[in-house]
Amino acid sequence: MLKNKQVKTILNPAPALKISDDLLRHLTIITPNETEASFYVDHNVETHEDAEKAAIQLLESKVSKVYGMFNWELSRVIEIFRLCEQQQRHC
């Protein structure tokens, strides 16, 4: 309903709880940290590569943007955003 009215929805999923696939598809932005991202993608997010894989999985669930709130250096986060742009996705 909110997407039809062009309302942006942002979820900071702390603490991580079960979210229905339908609700996940209707989010505009999700901002998980490593623990929360691991919960939603069913694999550990411990490395930069894990974070890229998790971001792509969340994007495939139709979330418009994924802003990872990971405890890594900013330059690597920027690289993740560039990867998403190369794949013509919004992270």
Side-chain angles (χ1 to χ4, degrees):
M1 179 173 117
L2 292 175
K3 270 197 173 183
N4 293 339
K5 297 183 187 261
Q6 297 183 340
V7 174
K8 295 189 185 306
T9 54
I10 301 170
L11 175 67
N12 178 348
L17 300 170
K18 176 68 176 143
I19 298 174
S20 72
D21 291 339
D22 186 54
L23 178 60
L24 197 58
R25 279 192 297 274
H26 287 88
L27 292 175
T28 306
I29 299 170
I30 189 168
T31 61
N33 64 20
E34 297 96 323
T35 303
E36 296 148 1
S38 297
F39 180 84
Y40 292 111
V41 298
D42 293 326
H43 66 80
N44 289 336
V45 177
E46 298 174 344
T47 67
H48 304 295
E49 291 76 20
D50 294 339
E52 290 172 3
K53 182 178 173 185
I56 290 168
Q57 284 180 267
L58 288 167
L59 290 166
E60 287 172 350
S61 70
K62 305 298 183 202
V63 174
S64 298
K65 296 183 182 183
V66 177
Y67 290 103
M69 299 174 70
F70 305 118
N71 295 319
W72 297 315
E73 71 275 10
L74 181 59
S75 62
R76 185 59 180 152
V77 173
I78 291 169
E79 287 180 41
I80 293 170
F81 287 113
R82 286 188 185 141
L83 170 71
C84 293
E85 286 178 2
Q86 290 170 355
Q87 294 184 1
Q88 298 180 343
R89 297 173 186 239
H90 297 284
C91 294

